[in-house]
Structures are given as structure tokens and as C-alpha cells.
Amino acid sequence: MEIISEIKAMKAYVRAIKEKGETICLVPTMGYLHEGHLDLMRMGRPLADHLVISIFVNPTQFGPNEDLDKYPRDMERDARLSESVGVECIFFPEASGMYPDGYATYVNVERISEGLCGASRPTHFRGVTTVVAKLFNIVEPDLAIFGEKDYQQLAVIMRMVDDLNMNVKVLGHPTVREKDGIAMSSRNSYLSAEERINALVLRKSLLHARGRVKKGEHGAAQIRKEVKDLISQTPGCAIDYVEIVDAVTLEPVDRIDGRAVMALAVKVGKTRLIDNITLEA
Ligand code: AMP
């Protein structure tokens, strides 16, 4: 397996593949890999001739008081794990290579990036779409895979690819969970044992919402209230948002008629966690 940090070298690697007429699948990550990341890679492995991942803790998607500096990193372990699932190349750029002095260009997807996480992290998706557009230009993947755990991110990237006529097919992968239901996340490593138990309320409350819809409750306000009550009764948990939105546009809905998604962000202690669930009437 190759680990390439220089953009020029990565482009040469890609050119050699393209000259043979072969295809590339890209799985972008910020590293500190867990089974969720590895499942995206396992999904991608048979779908293209070459499986490339990127590991880059992208500074432009972190706000000024967020966890950029303390974001967990372990390149040696990440390399071992990715090789074990058939990754051929890790693109591991440096921030100074991706954003050199004089850097001035950003990709901004309007509307769909403004609610949910975009409301409390106003520059987050601009950073995500900028770095993903750069990764697509450098790696030229035929296919790219993103997790549904970051539901809004997946929707924003699909919008960008459509709007900018990018030559890449974007696929989503279902959320991978620990046995007790918590969504796998590199940020789970911040949780104390007690916070880890409290964090179970995210999944529990989402399943409560799904159960209520199955039993015939279609009013979004009522379901949101019940979910908010469950979370606010849990020690150490502070709600950032609890929303029910249209699965495609991410606009809030009043009634669950078609396919909706309940998405939430909760601070458990100092750690902000997100999760979501589809709700179908
Ligand atoms: P991250 O390293 O957190 O930026 O995540 C890299 C990719 O893995 C993104 O497309 C995430 O949506 C995806 N991902 C992270 N955690 C999970 C999970 N538990 N299940 C499925 N995909 C995930």
C-alpha cells in the first residue's frame, strides 16, 4: 500500500491508473479509523479497480472553538487497518499543501447546508464541500462513498456534484453502530465511561420516534417534543437541535407523510454527537 502526501505525486499516481482505462473509488476520511470507515472501504473495494482513501483533518471545516487541535490521530494504526480491507493508496496531504499561502477559493452549497448542523456550525459545510471538491479534482474518482451517519454532509455533497456537473458517482453507506446502538464515531473516544452510557439516549430517542410513527403519530412537533424530553432528562446531555426534515431537501416538515429523516445533535459533556433515523409513514 502506498501513502502519498504530495498532491503532485498523487496526481501522477492517478494519471497512471487513468492511462490504463481503470477506475478509482475514493473514501474520504479524517482518520482515526473505526469499523464504520472500514465498512465504507469494504463496500468500495469491489466497485472499482482501485480503492483509494484520503486521511485529512481538514482545518476549514472546523470552527474557531472546535476540536481541530485535539482531533484524534493515529496514522500507523490507520495504515494497518486500511491495508487489511484492500486499500491500495492513502492520500495523506498536509494542510499547507491543501491550503498554501494565498489560498482563496471556496465551494459553497446554499440552502441545504444552512439548517441542522449548518445552523450551529456556519462555516462547516463550506469547508467540507471545498475539501471534497479538491479531493475529487486530485484523485479523480469514478465513485466516492460517504456515510449516512453524516446525513446532511452526504446530501450537501450530492447537491454539489449535481450542481457542478462533477464526473463522480456518490454513494451512501448506512450508519455502522456499536452493539449497544451508538453510532461509531472517532469522537466517541472523547467520552468518559459515564458519558458513553448517557450517549445511548441518542439512539434510544431516535428509535422512540420511529416507534411513534409506526403507531400512527405523524405530527412532527409532537414527536420532536417527546424526543427532546427524553434527551433533556438524561444527565450531561444538552440539545443542539432535534429536527424532522424531508429526506431529500432537508427542509423541516410538519407532518410525516413521505420519507422524512429525524436528525439530531447533542452535546454529551463537551462532546458534540450527531445521529439520524429515517421515518416513513
Ligand atoms: P470522518 O472521518 O468522521 O470524516 O468520516 C469519514 C466518512 O466515514 C464520512 O463519509 C462519514 O460519514 C463516514 N462515517 C463515519 N462514521 C460512520 C459510521 N458510524 N457509519 C457509517 N459511516 C460513517
Side-chain angles (χ1 to χ4, degrees):
M1 189 183 64
E2 296 209 40
I3 300 177
I4 300 178
S5 289
E6 290 296 321
I7 293 172
K8 221 171 132 186
M10 191 64 223
K11 285 192 164 221
Y13 180 91
V14 168
R15 200 174 322 115
I17 291 174
K18 299 277 162 180
E19 275 167 8
K20 288 188 271 178
E22 293 175 351
T23 55
I24 298 175
C25 173
L26 173 68
V27 178
T29 82
M30 296 203 298
Y32 211 68
L33 303 178
H34 51 64
E35 276 300 314
H37 297 118
L38 297 181
D39 264 8
L40 268 59
M41 297 171 203
R42 291 185 185 106
M43 173 179 165
R45 182 57 282 185
L47 299 181
D49 298 315
H50 300 271
L51 177 59
V52 174
I53 71 163
S54 56
I55 295 183
F56 181 54
V57 182
N58 172 38
T60 62
Q61 71 189 70
F62 286 78
N65 297 314
E66 294 182 356
D67 56 342
L68 173 63
D69 292 333
K70 71 164 188 166
Y71 197 84
R73 293 161 167 91
D74 189 343
M75 189 52 187
E76 240 173 66
R77 180 172 167 273
D78 287 353
R80 217 169 43 244
L81 289 174
S82 20
E83 188 160 29
S84 76
V85 293
V87 171
E88 289 162 46
C89 173
I90 301 180
F91 179 46
F92 182 52
E94 298 203 11
S96 58
M98 292 292 268
Y99 302 108
D101 284 348
Y103 189 87
T105 304
Y106 293 87
V107 178
N108 189 35
V109 177
E110 294 180 356
R111 294 191 298 280
I112 196 169
S113 68
E114 289 160 14
L116 306 175
C117 288
S120 48
R121 305 182 75 191
T123 57
H124 173 66
F125 287 113
R126 181 180 95 136
V128 169
T129 41
T130 298
V131 82
V132 171
K134 284 174 68 71
L135 292 170
F136 286 175
N137 281 335
I138 295 164
V139 179
E140 296 180 52
D142 300 86
L143 198 77
I145 303 180
F146 295 84
E148 287 171 6
K149 189 211 148 216
D150 300 276
Y151 192 87
Q152 187 177 16
Q153 169 173 280
L154 174 61
V156 168
I157 288 167
M158 283 179 162
R159 185 80 252 165
M160 171 185 77
V161 164
D162 249 21
D163 287 355
L164 296 182
N165 314 100
M166 292 175 160
N167 287 326
V168 53
K169 187 170 169 194
V170 172
L171 298 180
H173 184 290
T175 302
V176 179
R177 299 179 179 281
E178 304 283 0
K179 278 204 187 74
D180 60 11
I182 196 170
M184 289 189 176
S185 165
S186 308
R187 289 191 169 100
N188 289 350
S189 64
Y190 299 150
L191 300 171
S192 69
E194 194 185 336
E195 288 168 344
R196 178 68 183 68
I197 292 168
N198 295 337
L200 292 173
V201 73
L202 275 80
R203 178 65 172 164
K204 193 176 135 197
S205 60
L206 289 170
L207 288 173
H208 172 82
R210 179 177 274 175
R212 294 287 282 127
V213 175
K214 278 209 176 113
K215 287 204 180 111
E217 175 61 66
H218 292 172
Q222 177 60 29
I223 295 176
R224 285 175 63 216
K225 180 187 175 307
E226 292 175 19
V227 164
K228 283 182 166 183
D229 285 348
L230 276 171
I231 296 169
S232 44
Q233 284 157 16
T234 306
C237 290
I239 294 170
D240 178 354
Y241 66 80
V242 172
E243 299 286 352
I244 301 179
V245 297
D246 179 89
V248 178
T249 64
L250 305 196
E251 292 292 331
V253 296
D254 293 333
R255 282 189 60 76
I256 298 140
D257 293 324
R259 221 173 127 254
V261 171
M262 175 167 250
L264 46 78
V266 176
K267 264 192 144 182
V268 181
K270 288 194 171 131
T271 306
R272 185 178 178 280
L273 300 177
I274 58 171
D275 204 346
N276 66 80
I277 198 167
T278 52
L279 302 175
E280 268 168 285

mmCIF file of all heavy atoms in Angstrom, residues 187-227:
data_model
loop_
_atom_site.group_PDB
_atom_site.id
_atom_site.type_symbol
_atom_site.label_atom_id
_atom_site.label_comp_id
_atom_site.label_asym_id
_atom_site.label_seq_id
_atom_site.Cartn_x
_atom_site.Cartn_y
_atom_site.Cartn_z
ATOM 1 N N ARG A 187 -15.079 10.629 17.390
ATOM 2 C CA ARG A 187 -15.269 11.494 18.566
ATOM 3 C C ARG A 187 -15.772 10.728 19.785
ATOM 4 O O ARG A 187 -15.736 11.261 20.894
ATOM 5 C CB ARG A 187 -16.223 12.647 18.237
ATOM 6 C CG ARG A 187 -15.602 13.676 17.300
ATOM 7 C CD ARG A 187 -16.431 14.943 17.184
ATOM 8 N NE ARG A 187 -15.710 16.006 16.505
ATOM 9 C CZ ARG A 187 -15.859 16.338 15.219
ATOM 10 N NH1 ARG A 187 -16.720 15.679 14.454
ATOM 11 N NH2 ARG A 187 -15.156 17.329 14.694
ATOM 12 N N ASN A 188 -16.241 9.479 19.608
ATOM 13 C CA ASN A 188 -16.654 8.699 20.788
ATOM 14 C C ASN A 188 -15.479 8.512 21.738
ATOM 15 O O ASN A 188 -15.673 8.286 22.935
ATOM 16 C CB ASN A 188 -17.194 7.328 20.377
ATOM 17 C CG ASN A 188 -18.547 7.426 19.678
ATOM 18 O OD1 ASN A 188 -19.164 8.493 19.656
ATOM 19 N ND2 ASN A 188 -18.997 6.332 19.089
ATOM 20 N N SER A 189 -14.250 8.612 21.209
ATOM 21 C CA SER A 189 -13.069 8.423 22.065
ATOM 22 C C SER A 189 -12.937 9.545 23.101
ATOM 23 O O SER A 189 -12.183 9.413 24.056
ATOM 24 C CB SER A 189 -11.802 8.341 21.216
ATOM 25 O OG SER A 189 -11.580 9.566 20.555
ATOM 26 N N TYR A 190 -13.647 10.649 22.909
ATOM 27 C CA TYR A 190 -13.614 11.738 23.907
ATOM 28 C C TYR A 190 -14.468 11.413 25.132
ATOM 29 O O TYR A 190 -14.348 12.073 26.167
ATOM 30 C CB TYR A 190 -14.185 13.037 23.334
ATOM 31 C CG TYR A 190 -13.489 13.636 22.137
ATOM 32 C CD1 TYR A 190 -14.221 14.377 21.205
ATOM 33 C CD2 TYR A 190 -12.117 13.514 21.952
ATOM 34 C CE1 TYR A 190 -13.603 14.966 20.115
ATOM 35 C CE2 TYR A 190 -11.498 14.096 20.856
ATOM 36 C CZ TYR A 190 -12.241 14.825 19.939
ATOM 37 O OH TYR A 190 -11.646 15.407 18.866
ATOM 38 N N LEU A 191 -15.408 10.444 25.006
ATOM 39 C CA LEU A 191 -16.412 10.237 26.065
ATOM 40 C C LEU A 191 -15.836 9.481 27.259
ATOM 41 O O LEU A 191 -15.126 8.489 27.095
ATOM 42 C CB LEU A 191 -17.600 9.440 25.500
ATOM 43 C CG LEU A 191 -18.373 10.065 24.336
ATOM 44 C CD1 LEU A 191 -19.373 9.052 23.767
ATOM 45 C CD2 LEU A 191 -19.096 11.332 24.773
ATOM 46 N N SER A 192 -16.192 9.934 28.475
ATOM 47 C CA SER A 192 -15.863 9.159 29.671
ATOM 48 C C SER A 192 -16.833 7.974 29.733
ATOM 49 O O SER A 192 -17.824 7.934 28.991
ATOM 50 C CB SER A 192 -16.053 10.027 30.923
ATOM 51 O OG SER A 192 -17.442 10.284 31.104
ATOM 52 N N ALA A 193 -16.564 7.023 30.645
ATOM 53 C CA ALA A 193 -17.431 5.839 30.747
ATOM 54 C C ALA A 193 -18.876 6.259 31.027
ATOM 55 O O ALA A 193 -19.826 5.714 30.452
ATOM 56 C CB ALA A 193 -16.911 4.925 31.846
ATOM 57 N N GLU A 194 -19.028 7.253 31.879
ATOM 58 C CA GLU A 194 -20.378 7.704 32.240
ATOM 59 C C GLU A 194 -21.060 8.401 31.046
ATOM 60 O O GLU A 194 -22.231 8.169 30.758
ATOM 61 C CB GLU A 194 -20.255 8.671 33.429
ATOM 62 C CG GLU A 194 -21.558 8.950 34.115
ATOM 63 C CD GLU A 194 -21.385 10.017 35.198
ATOM 64 O OE1 GLU A 194 -20.256 10.178 35.707
ATOM 65 O OE2 GLU A 194 -22.376 10.694 35.507
ATOM 66 N N GLU A 195 -20.298 9.242 30.359
ATOM 67 C CA GLU A 195 -20.854 9.933 29.181
ATOM 68 C C GLU A 195 -21.233 8.933 28.091
ATOM 69 O O GLU A 195 -22.224 9.117 27.373
ATOM 70 C CB GLU A 195 -19.832 10.939 28.630
ATOM 71 C CG GLU A 195 -19.653 12.155 29.522
ATOM 72 C CD GLU A 195 -18.437 12.995 29.126
ATOM 73 O OE1 GLU A 195 -17.560 12.503 28.375
ATOM 74 O OE2 GLU A 195 -18.354 14.144 29.598
ATOM 75 N N ARG A 196 -20.442 7.891 27.983
ATOM 76 C CA ARG A 196 -20.705 6.865 26.968
ATOM 77 C C ARG A 196 -22.073 6.231 27.206
ATOM 78 O O ARG A 196 -22.803 5.930 26.250
ATOM 79 C CB ARG A 196 -19.577 5.825 27.053
ATOM 80 C CG ARG A 196 -19.650 4.642 26.150
ATOM 81 C CD ARG A 196 -19.451 5.028 24.699
ATOM 82 N NE ARG A 196 -19.588 3.863 23.832
ATOM 83 C CZ ARG A 196 -20.726 3.217 23.621
ATOM 84 N NH1 ARG A 196 -21.836 3.633 24.190
ATOM 85 N NH2 ARG A 196 -20.773 2.169 22.832
ATOM 86 N N ILE A 197 -22.420 6.031 28.487
ATOM 87 C CA ILE A 197 -23.735 5.471 28.820
ATOM 88 C C ILE A 197 -24.836 6.504 28.531
ATOM 89 O O ILE A 197 -25.850 6.194 27.918
ATOM 90 C CB ILE A 197 -23.770 5.015 30.305
ATOM 91 C CG1 ILE A 197 -22.846 3.807 30.470
ATOM 92 C CG2 ILE A 197 -25.190 4.673 30.748
ATOM 93 C CD1 ILE A 197 -22.561 3.441 31.909
ATOM 94 N N ASN A 198 -24.575 7.746 28.929
ATOM 95 C CA ASN A 198 -25.574 8.792 28.670
ATOM 96 C C ASN A 198 -25.826 8.977 27.170
ATOM 97 O O ASN A 198 -26.940 9.295 26.743
ATOM 98 C CB ASN A 198 -25.124 10.122 29.275
ATOM 99 C CG ASN A 198 -25.059 10.060 30.794
ATOM 100 O OD1 ASN A 198 -25.734 9.223 31.412
ATOM 101 N ND2 ASN A 198 -24.250 10.912 31.401
ATOM 102 N N ALA A 199 -24.777 8.758 26.370
ATOM 103 C CA ALA A 199 -24.887 8.976 24.923
ATOM 104 C C ALA A 199 -25.842 7.985 24.251
ATOM 105 O O ALA A 199 -26.294 8.218 23.127
ATOM 106 C CB ALA A 199 -23.501 8.863 24.281
ATOM 107 N N LEU A 200 -26.185 6.911 24.956
ATOM 108 C CA LEU A 200 -27.119 5.939 24.376
ATOM 109 C C LEU A 200 -28.489 6.561 24.112
ATOM 110 O O LEU A 200 -29.265 6.047 23.309
ATOM 111 C CB LEU A 200 -27.279 4.730 25.312
ATOM 112 C CG LEU A 200 -26.046 3.841 25.445
ATOM 113 C CD1 LEU A 200 -26.258 2.791 26.525
ATOM 114 C CD2 LEU A 200 -25.735 3.175 24.111
ATOM 115 N N VAL A 201 -28.759 7.690 24.759
ATOM 116 C CA VAL A 201 -30.071 8.321 24.585
ATOM 117 C C VAL A 201 -30.269 8.808 23.144
ATOM 118 O O VAL A 201 -31.404 8.932 22.678
ATOM 119 C CB VAL A 201 -30.282 9.480 25.600
ATOM 120 C CG1 VAL A 201 -29.450 10.710 25.240
ATOM 121 C CG2 VAL A 201 -31.760 9.833 25.699
ATOM 122 N N LEU A 202 -29.200 9.059 22.418
ATOM 123 C CA LEU A 202 -29.375 9.499 21.020
ATOM 124 C C LEU A 202 -30.129 8.423 20.235
ATOM 125 O O LEU A 202 -31.159 8.677 19.629
ATOM 126 C CB LEU A 202 -28.017 9.776 20.346
ATOM 127 C CG LEU A 202 -27.426 11.172 20.563
ATOM 128 C CD1 LEU A 202 -26.760 11.290 21.916
ATOM 129 C CD2 LEU A 202 -26.425 11.529 19.473
ATOM 130 N N ARG A 203 -29.596 7.217 20.253
ATOM 131 C CA ARG A 203 -30.215 6.116 19.503
ATOM 132 C C ARG A 203 -31.581 5.769 20.088
ATOM 133 O O ARG A 203 -32.542 5.531 19.361
ATOM 134 C CB ARG A 203 -29.279 4.905 19.541
ATOM 135 C CG ARG A 203 -29.790 3.670 18.854
ATOM 136 C CD ARG A 203 -29.949 3.855 17.364
ATOM 137 N NE ARG A 203 -30.258 2.598 16.678
ATOM 138 C CZ ARG A 203 -30.741 2.525 15.448
ATOM 139 N NH1 ARG A 203 -30.961 3.637 14.766
ATOM 140 N NH2 ARG A 203 -30.987 1.366 14.884
ATOM 141 N N LYS A 204 -31.626 5.747 21.424
ATOM 142 C CA LYS A 204 -32.872 5.373 22.086
ATOM 143 C C LYS A 204 -33.999 6.337 21.678
ATOM 144 O O LYS A 204 -35.119 5.915 21.377
ATOM 145 C CB LYS A 204 -32.648 5.435 23.609
ATOM 146 C CG LYS A 204 -33.735 4.789 24.429
ATOM 147 C CD LYS A 204 -33.382 4.814 25.916
ATOM 148 C CE LYS A 204 -34.605 5.259 26.701
ATOM 149 N NZ LYS A 204 -34.304 5.704 28.052
ATOM 150 N N SER A 205 -33.708 7.614 21.645
ATOM 151 C CA SER A 205 -34.762 8.584 21.332
ATOM 152 C C SER A 205 -35.138 8.522 19.850
ATOM 153 O O SER A 205 -36.299 8.716 19.491
ATOM 154 C CB SER A 205 -34.347 9.994 21.762
ATOM 155 O OG SER A 205 -33.181 10.374 21.083
ATOM 156 N N LEU A 206 -34.179 8.230 18.990
ATOM 157 C CA LEU A 206 -34.497 8.091 17.556
ATOM 158 C C LEU A 206 -35.389 6.864 17.329
ATOM 159 O O LEU A 206 -36.336 6.912 16.535
ATOM 160 C CB LEU A 206 -33.207 7.966 16.731
ATOM 161 C CG LEU A 206 -32.366 9.245 16.622
ATOM 162 C CD1 LEU A 206 -31.014 8.943 15.989
ATOM 163 C CD2 LEU A 206 -33.093 10.335 15.837
ATOM 164 N N LEU A 207 -35.095 5.788 18.048
ATOM 165 C CA LEU A 207 -35.939 4.595 17.908
ATOM 166 C C LEU A 207 -37.332 4.858 18.476
ATOM 167 O O LEU A 207 -38.335 4.358 17.959
ATOM 168 C CB LEU A 207 -35.290 3.394 18.609
ATOM 169 C CG LEU A 207 -34.055 2.827 17.900
ATOM 170 C CD1 LEU A 207 -33.394 1.748 18.765
ATOM 171 C CD2 LEU A 207 -34.411 2.254 16.527
ATOM 172 N N HIS A 208 -37.388 5.668 19.546
ATOM 173 C CA HIS A 208 -38.687 6.060 20.087
ATOM 174 C C HIS A 208 -39.502 6.779 19.008
ATOM 175 O O HIS A 208 -40.682 6.483 18.797
ATOM 176 C CB HIS A 208 -38.492 6.968 21.309
ATOM 177 C CG HIS A 208 -39.764 7.573 21.806
ATOM 178 N ND1 HIS A 208 -40.644 6.903 22.636
ATOM 179 C CD2 HIS A 208 -40.346 8.783 21.553
ATOM 180 C CE1 HIS A 208 -41.699 7.662 22.879
ATOM 181 N NE2 HIS A 208 -41.538 8.812 22.232
ATOM 182 N N ALA A 209 -38.854 7.704 18.299
ATOM 183 C CA ALA A 209 -39.540 8.458 17.241
ATOM 184 C C ALA A 209 -40.058 7.507 16.162
ATOM 185 O O ALA A 209 -41.217 7.606 15.742
ATOM 186 C CB ALA A 209 -38.576 9.480 16.629
ATOM 187 N N ARG A 210 -39.227 6.594 15.741
ATOM 188 C CA ARG A 210 -39.653 5.649 14.699
ATOM 189 C C ARG A 210 -40.846 4.818 15.180
ATOM 190 O O ARG A 210 -41.804 4.594 14.435
ATOM 191 C CB ARG A 210 -38.492 4.745 14.311
ATOM 192 C CG ARG A 210 -38.883 3.730 13.256
ATOM 193 C CD ARG A 210 -37.711 2.888 12.822
ATOM 194 N NE ARG A 210 -36.964 3.536 11.762
ATOM 195 C CZ ARG A 210 -35.834 3.053 11.257
ATOM 196 N NH1 ARG A 210 -35.307 1.940 11.746
ATOM 197 N NH2 ARG A 210 -35.202 3.683 10.281
ATOM 198 N N GLY A 211 -40.786 4.400 16.436
ATOM 199 C CA GLY A 211 -41.884 3.619 17.004
ATOM 200 C C GLY A 211 -43.183 4.411 17.025
ATOM 201 O O GLY A 211 -44.260 3.876 16.709
ATOM 202 N N ARG A 212 -43.084 5.700 17.359
ATOM 203 C CA ARG A 212 -44.290 6.551 17.424
ATOM 204 C C ARG A 212 -44.903 6.715 16.027
ATOM 205 O O ARG A 212 -46.117 6.720 15.876
ATOM 206 C CB ARG A 212 -43.922 7.919 18.011
ATOM 207 C CG ARG A 212 -43.497 7.841 19.457
ATOM 208 C CD ARG A 212 -44.667 7.583 20.380
ATOM 209 N NE ARG A 212 -45.435 8.807 20.591
ATOM 210 C CZ ARG A 212 -46.743 8.915 20.401
ATOM 211 N NH1 ARG A 212 -47.442 7.890 19.992
ATOM 212 N NH2 ARG A 212 -47.359 10.079 20.619
ATOM 213 N N VAL A 213 -44.059 6.856 15.010
ATOM 214 C CA VAL A 213 -44.571 6.986 13.637
ATOM 215 C C VAL A 213 -45.250 5.681 13.228
ATOM 216 O O VAL A 213 -46.353 5.686 12.656
ATOM 217 C CB VAL A 213 -43.440 7.347 12.638
ATOM 218 C CG1 VAL A 213 -43.968 7.359 11.206
ATOM 219 C CG2 VAL A 213 -42.832 8.697 12.993
ATOM 220 N N LYS A 214 -44.631 4.571 13.559
ATOM 221 C CA LYS A 214 -45.216 3.254 13.206
ATOM 222 C C LYS A 214 -46.582 3.082 13.838
ATOM 223 O O LYS A 214 -47.477 2.470 13.271
ATOM 224 C CB LYS A 214 -44.290 2.125 13.677
ATOM 225 C CG LYS A 214 -43.158 1.879 12.702
ATOM 226 C CD LYS A 214 -42.686 0.411 12.737
ATOM 227 C CE LYS A 214 -41.625 0.195 11.674
ATOM 228 N NZ LYS A 214 -40.316 -0.091 12.229
ATOM 229 N N LYS A 215 -46.728 3.660 15.059
ATOM 230 C CA LYS A 215 -48.021 3.508 15.754
ATOM 231 C C LYS A 215 -49.039 4.556 15.304
ATOM 232 O O LYS A 215 -50.112 4.662 15.875
ATOM 233 C CB LYS A 215 -47.799 3.599 17.263
ATOM 234 C CG LYS A 215 -47.134 2.349 17.817
ATOM 235 C CD LYS A 215 -47.444 2.160 19.299
ATOM 236 C CE LYS A 215 -46.786 0.914 19.847
ATOM 237 N NZ LYS A 215 -45.708 1.240 20.799
ATOM 238 N N GLY A 216 -48.664 5.413 14.322
ATOM 239 C CA GLY A 216 -49.659 6.316 13.743
ATOM 240 C C GLY A 216 -49.501 7.789 14.084
ATOM 241 O O GLY A 216 -50.300 8.607 13.632
ATOM 242 N N GLU A 217 -48.522 8.160 14.886
ATOM 243 C CA GLU A 217 -48.321 9.589 15.183
ATOM 244 C C GLU A 217 -47.527 10.210 14.021
ATOM 245 O O GLU A 217 -46.386 9.829 13.781
ATOM 246 C CB GLU A 217 -47.533 9.748 16.498
ATOM 247 C CG GLU A 217 -47.168 11.190 16.827
ATOM 248 C CD GLU A 217 -48.382 12.098 17.002
ATOM 249 O OE1 GLU A 217 -49.141 11.883 17.954
ATOM 250 O OE2 GLU A 217 -48.562 13.013 16.172
ATOM 251 N N HIS A 218 -48.141 11.145 13.325
ATOM 252 C CA HIS A 218 -47.463 11.744 12.170
ATOM 253 C C HIS A 218 -47.111 13.216 12.376
ATOM 254 O O HIS A 218 -46.534 13.843 11.493
ATOM 255 C CB HIS A 218 -48.316 11.580 10.901
ATOM 256 C CG HIS A 218 -48.427 10.149 10.465
ATOM 257 N ND1 HIS A 218 -49.244 9.723 9.460
ATOM 258 C CD2 HIS A 218 -47.798 9.033 10.922
ATOM 259 C CE1 HIS A 218 -49.131 8.408 9.317
ATOM 260 N NE2 HIS A 218 -48.271 7.975 10.192
ATOM 261 N N GLY A 219 -47.455 13.763 13.515
ATOM 262 C CA GLY A 219 -47.166 15.180 13.785
ATOM 263 C C GLY A 219 -45.712 15.355 14.210
ATOM 264 O O GLY A 219 -45.272 14.776 15.212
ATOM 265 N N ALA A 220 -44.987 16.162 13.439
ATOM 266 C CA ALA A 220 -43.555 16.341 13.716
ATOM 267 C C ALA A 220 -43.335 17.028 15.070
ATOM 268 O O ALA A 220 -42.428 16.660 15.823
ATOM 269 C CB ALA A 220 -42.904 17.137 12.589
ATOM 270 N N ALA A 221 -44.189 18.016 15.398
ATOM 271 C CA ALA A 221 -43.982 18.779 16.640
ATOM 272 C C ALA A 221 -44.094 17.859 17.859
ATOM 273 O O ALA A 221 -43.274 17.932 18.790
ATOM 274 C CB ALA A 221 -44.994 19.919 16.730
ATOM 275 N N GLN A 222 -45.084 16.976 17.840
ATOM 276 C CA GLN A 222 -45.287 16.063 18.973
ATOM 277 C C GLN A 222 -44.095 15.115 19.142
ATOM 278 O O GLN A 222 -43.583 14.920 20.246
ATOM 279 C CB GLN A 222 -46.595 15.266 18.749
ATOM 280 C CG GLN A 222 -46.898 14.237 19.814
ATOM 281 C CD GLN A 222 -47.047 14.847 21.218
ATOM 282 O OE1 GLN A 222 -47.456 16.021 21.353
ATOM 283 N NE2 GLN A 222 -46.685 14.103 22.257
ATOM 284 N N ILE A 223 -43.645 14.572 18.022
ATOM 285 C CA ILE A 223 -42.529 13.608 18.107
ATOM 286 C C ILE A 223 -41.248 14.316 18.551
ATOM 287 O O ILE A 223 -40.491 13.805 19.384
ATOM 288 C CB ILE A 223 -42.343 12.891 16.747
ATOM 289 C CG1 ILE A 223 -43.589 12.056 16.452
ATOM 290 C CG2 ILE A 223 -41.101 12.000 16.765
ATOM 291 C CD1 ILE A 223 -43.596 11.378 15.112
ATOM 292 N N ARG A 224 -41.030 15.513 18.019
ATOM 293 C CA ARG A 224 -39.832 16.268 18.428
ATOM 294 C C ARG A 224 -39.862 16.550 19.923
ATOM 295 O O ARG A 224 -38.852 16.467 20.610
ATOM 296 C CB ARG A 224 -39.731 17.580 17.655
ATOM 297 C CG ARG A 224 -39.272 17.395 16.215
ATOM 298 C CD ARG A 224 -39.305 18.710 15.474
ATOM 299 N NE ARG A 224 -38.383 19.675 16.038
ATOM 300 C CZ ARG A 224 -38.614 20.982 16.118
ATOM 301 N NH1 ARG A 224 -39.749 21.483 15.671
ATOM 302 N NH2 ARG A 224 -37.715 21.785 16.623
ATOM 303 N N LYS A 225 -41.066 16.887 20.423
ATOM 304 C CA LYS A 225 -41.181 17.205 21.844
ATOM 305 C C LYS A 225 -40.814 15.984 22.692
ATOM 306 O O LYS A 225 -40.064 16.095 23.667
ATOM 307 C CB LYS A 225 -42.612 17.672 22.166
ATOM 308 C CG LYS A 225 -42.798 18.013 23.615
ATOM 309 C CD LYS A 225 -44.230 18.322 23.989
ATOM 310 C CE LYS A 225 -44.359 18.534 25.494
ATOM 311 N NZ LYS A 225 -43.819 17.452 26.331
ATOM 312 N N GLU A 226 -41.332 14.845 22.309
ATOM 313 C CA GLU A 226 -41.061 13.632 23.087
ATOM 314 C C GLU A 226 -39.564 13.299 23.067
ATOM 315 O O GLU A 226 -38.985 12.910 24.089
ATOM 316 C CB GLU A 226 -41.887 12.452 22.530
ATOM 317 C CG GLU A 226 -43.385 12.649 22.774
ATOM 318 C CD GLU A 226 -44.250 11.555 22.133
ATOM 319 O OE1 GLU A 226 -43.713 10.479 21.818
ATOM 320 O OE2 GLU A 226 -45.461 11.795 21.959
ATOM 321 N N VAL A 227 -38.950 13.456 21.903
ATOM 322 C CA VAL A 227 -37.518 13.157 21.787
ATOM 323 C C VAL A 227 -36.706 14.159 22.608
ATOM 324 O O VAL A 227 -35.771 13.785 23.335
ATOM 325 C CB VAL A 227 -37.092 13.155 20.294
ATOM 326 C CG1 VAL A 227 -35.589 13.242 20.144
ATOM 327 C CG2 VAL A 227 -37.626 11.892 19.610
#
